[in-house]
Amino acid sequence: MDSPDIVDIGLSQMLLLVVDHNLDAELEVHLVGGFEDVSPNFLKSCTRSESDAKLEGYSYPLCAKIFETLCTRQEKFHIQTAFILGHNTRRDSEGNAFPIFNGLAVETSTGSVIPACFDGARCPDEIVRRIRVTASYEDSSWNGKLMDTYDTRTDQFRIASCCWTSQQRRFALTLRHLTDSEILLTCSTSPSAEGPDFVDNLRRQWEYLIKYPDWIETFPLKQPRVFERTSDGEWKRC
């Protein structure tokens, strides 16, 4: 989840996959990833209305909204892990904030949650999936929805279609000429905390959009892009 606006519908979407309408069931919750990407001193120096306006795109309002929604829903939630905000923040000698970790693995047989790094494990159609995330605001059919791609029941990646306009190509043509530091400052709310591949990933997205500006080339007839696992553990396009 990357915005407070998506929490209500996004949580309902997630629960449809795991809840059998038994409101007495207790659901374990693990919240991981958000960090103090804005200084606590900044929060103290603002009024509530000022901080709400200035914090758009940061972790605090998103985390607050998730807790608020969990408290107001009918289901019973047991928060097992809340490794977010100050608990998931480290700072360098210059005071720049970084997440301690931003990935996890769950051992489903035991329920154990383990910090994890997924360097190099991009899974199929990585660039198309990245473009969907950044361009989906132009497609009203995705308003308030989470972009779920992996189907646990069939062991398939099903990348549903997403529309975008020629504006994405114009953005790409403009932004690709920026320097690496300019891209970080322009395209990230936390430039100092981005991984080493952040700029390269954006450049690869822009090159794709310049080459394929019409979304219909990527999703003919609005059909999903489906991948199945091969016997050697790789993915092949269906």
Side-chain angles (χ1 to χ4, degrees):
M1 294 188 184
D2 202 31
S3 164
D5 296 337
I6 206 173
V7 170
D8 288 319
I9 297 177
L11 188 57
S12 295
Q13 183 182 339
M14 292 172 65
L15 289 170
L16 282 174
L17 300 175
V18 297
V19 179
D20 59 0
H21 305 294
N22 177 11
L23 294 179
D24 290 327
E26 184 177 273
L27 301 170
E28 296 182 356
V29 178
H30 299 274
L31 298 173
V32 178
F35 70 110
E36 269 184 355
D37 41 12
V38 63
S39 167
N41 293 330
F42 171 86
L43 286 174
K44 293 176 183 176
S45 67
C46 298
T47 65
R48 181 176 179 84
S49 59
E50 286 176 335
S51 62
D52 287 347
K54 292 180 180 179
L55 283 174
E56 183 178 354
Y58 289 91
S59 295
Y60 180 81
L62 171 59
C63 294
K65 176 62 177 176
I66 292 173
F67 275 106
E68 176 188 321
T69 303
L70 291 173
C71 289
T72 56
R73 289 188 64 98
Q74 289 182 296
E75 296 88 356
K76 296 178 181 178
F77 297 104
H78 181 190
I79 298 176
Q80 300 274 43
T81 307
F83 203 72
I84 55 175
L85 301 178
H87 297 290
N88 189 34
T89 303
R90 60 182 176 87
R91 296 185 183 274
D92 63 16
S93 58
E94 298 178 356
N96 296 314
F98 300 84
I100 295 173
F101 75 92
N102 46 24
L104 65 91
V106 179
E107 180 61 56
T108 54
S109 62
T110 63
S112 298
V113 179
I114 309 155
C117 180
F118 299 94
D119 289 346
R122 301 182 185 276
C123 291
D125 240 8
E126 172 222 354
I127 292 300
V128 171
R129 289 188 289 121
R130 288 183 182 276
I131 290 171
R132 283 199 325 154
V133 170
T134 56
S136 60
Y137 70 91
E138 292 191 315
D139 187 340
S140 60
S141 67
W142 284 105
N143 286 351
K145 294 181 182 178
L146 297 177
M147 288 185 156
D148 189 19
T149 53
Y150 178 66
D151 189 328
T152 58
R153 294 163 297 183
T154 63
D155 191 24
Q156 289 182 330
F157 262 84
R158 300 184 62 86
I159 303 165
S161 66
C162 177
C163 307
W164 57 79
T165 70
S166 58
Q167 179 173 247
Q168 296 300 319
R169 183 174 185 271
R170 291 196 295 272
F171 286 156
L173 288 168
T174 300
L175 294 170
R176 69 170 177 167
H177 296 298
L178 298 179
T179 65
D180 288 4
S181 59
E182 288 172 333
I183 289 173
L184 276 169
L185 291 172
T186 303
C187 302
S188 173
T189 57
S190 306
S192 62
E194 298 295 355
D197 58 351
F198 177 80
V199 171
D200 178 61
N201 288 334
L202 285 176
R203 291 192 187 280
R204 291 189 297 127
Q205 287 175 229
W206 297 335
E207 291 305 317
Y208 185 98
L209 287 165
I210 291 167
K211 186 175 181 180
Y212 305 106
D214 190 344
W215 67 272
I216 206 71
E217 296 179 84
T218 302
F219 296 102
L221 302 176
K222 278 197 164 186
Q223 292 302 300
R225 296 165 70 91
V226 181
F227 294 81
E228 291 182 340
R229 202 189 302 267
T230 63
S231 58
D232 58 358
E234 299 298 320
W235 294 95
K236 68 175 181 179
R237 178 92 178 268
C238 298

